Amino acid sequence: MQSTEKLPLRHRRTRFDFSKVPTHWSSGDPFVTRFLDALSVNFPLGERFFIEAVSAFADRVTDAGLREEIALFSRQEGQHGGAHSQYNKLLRAQGVDVDKILQVLAGHKRATQRLTPELQLALTAAAEHLTATLAEGLLEDASFLGESADPEMRALYLWHAVEEVEHKAVAFDVYQRFAGGSYWLRVRAMLMITVYLHLRVSALMGHMFEVDKLRDRRAIVRRGLWRLYGPRGLLTRMLPSYLAWFKPGFHPWDSGMPAQATTWAEAYERHEDVRVATAALS
């Protein structure tokens, strides 16, 4: 169920303890765990890039409300990066070559920073649409994480998901109103980020599977791809929202707000605890 009422951006206090998180924390499912782990490794540098790309246009923004949203967007993204950096220490302890991964990602970030500021912002807006669409999918089908997923990781991802939905239009609004808003540039940006993420996440998952020394790896991958791309797969169900980006009159708030996000946010306002807010979705 979707609501047309958007949630206001909030800066929330968070603290996570990943010390007891098992290797395959998503109900023992190696594929789902490593799919989300592969995304997690990218988040700290990715979030920093997003903040920089939006902030590059902040001086042009004359709307006081949007300026406040940019500030809150930056605080939320900064916290997301910090939380996933903390989790990435656990990945390093598991044997994942986090340092090499970050070195490669830093090179990708430097290359992207040689693009025009407008294209960097278009890439940010496109990536924010992808993450918000994935966030809405996770909120609407929390079973993807697994009914017995580690509670700390479940709290991490659903907190992150709610805030991605909250600020899903910030980069897009700055791009449209203060960076020219070229339709063809944002189409190009979405195609670039889509190809990049598929290649990058696949490579990272392959490395993580090698670290795990999985038996029956082919069967695990087949089942996992079915959960993503099958007729009722998570990414398959995201396709209409993804394709909406290519409509000339598109706006991120066309998809509304998942009711689960509102439920989570209201529970957090009462208790100021991401775990209690997450339990409200059970």
Side-chain angles (χ1 to χ4, degrees), residues 12-279:
R12 298 179 175 92
R13 299 172 184 171
T14 59
R15 181 175 295 177
F16 296 96
D17 179 4
F18 300 122
S19 62
K20 297 180 181 178
V21 173
T23 298
H24 297 143
W25 56 263
S26 182
S27 300
D29 186 325
F31 188 94
V32 174
T33 297
R34 291 317 196 183
F35 170 68
L36 293 169
D37 284 352
L39 290 174
S40 177
V41 175
N42 290 277
F43 284 143
L45 277 176
E47 308 284 27
R48 196 177 310 160
F49 174 81
F50 300 158
I51 292 168
E52 292 169 358
V54 172
S55 297
F57 289 85
D59 289 345
R60 305 185 192 183
V61 177
T62 54
D63 182 292
L66 184 54
R67 288 179 71 89
E68 176 66 15
E69 288 190 344
I70 291 171
L72 288 166
F73 164 85
S74 298
R75 294 185 76 179
Q76 286 186 340
E77 295 289 59
Q79 273 199 288
H80 299 167
H84 286 278
S85 288
Q86 182 186 350
Y87 175 67
N88 288 349
K89 294 176 183 177
L90 179 62
L91 293 180
R92 186 181 287 109
Q94 293 172 2
V96 176
D97 197 346
V98 173
D99 294 327
K100 182 178 179 180
I101 291 169
L102 294 181
Q103 184 179 10
V104 172
L105 288 173
H108 294 171
K109 182 173 181 280
R110 286 193 296 271
T112 306
Q113 287 173 322
R114 291 196 286 269
L115 303 173
T116 66
E118 289 78 13
L119 181 52
Q120 290 181 53
L121 184 57
L123 286 167
T124 297
E128 287 294 307
H129 178 60
L130 288 179
T131 54
T133 301
L134 177 60
E136 290 173 2
L138 289 177
L139 286 164
E140 291 170 352
D141 182 15
S143 65
F144 182 80
L145 293 174
E147 295 300 331
S148 58
D150 180 83
E152 205 73 357
M153 297 304 293
R154 193 178 185 86
L156 170 70
Y157 274 96
L158 294 183
W159 158 69
H160 193 159
V162 169
E163 294 195 343
E164 287 298 326
V165 176
E166 282 182 349
H167 67 232
K168 66 181 178 178
V170 175
F172 184 89
D173 285 342
V174 175
Y175 174 75
Q176 287 293 109
R177 296 169 60 184
F178 301 100
S182 166
Y183 170 75
W184 292 110
L185 191 63
R186 71 174 171 88
V187 166
R188 175 187 171 193
M190 180 58 81
L191 296 176
M192 289 173 65
I193 200 72
T194 300
V195 172
Y196 174 79
L197 282 177
H198 274 80
L199 294 176
R200 191 69 191 143
V201 168
S202 297
L204 292 175
M205 289 180 71
H207 166 58
M208 292 174 182
F209 288 155
E210 291 293 337
V211 169
D212 292 342
K213 296 181 172 58
L214 294 174
R215 296 180 179 179
D216 299 324
R217 178 170 161 178
R218 290 184 180 179
I220 289 169
V221 170
R222 282 198 300 271
R223 288 194 299 269
L225 290 175
W226 182 260
R227 293 195 66 187
L228 290 179
Y229 296 103
R232 294 296 302 160
L234 179 70
L235 299 186
T236 303
R237 286 182 282 111
M238 285 171 49
L239 190 59
S241 294
Y242 170 79
L243 292 175
W245 175 268
F246 298 96
K247 297 177 182 177
F250 165 81
H251 190 273
W253 281 110
D254 292 344
S255 62
M257 172 69 67
Q260 294 88 344
T262 302
T263 299
W264 188 99
E266 289 174 348
Y268 181 88
E269 290 301 311
R270 291 193 299 271
H271 303 282
E272 294 194 350
D273 187 316
V274 294
R275 292 156 200 81
V276 175
T278 298

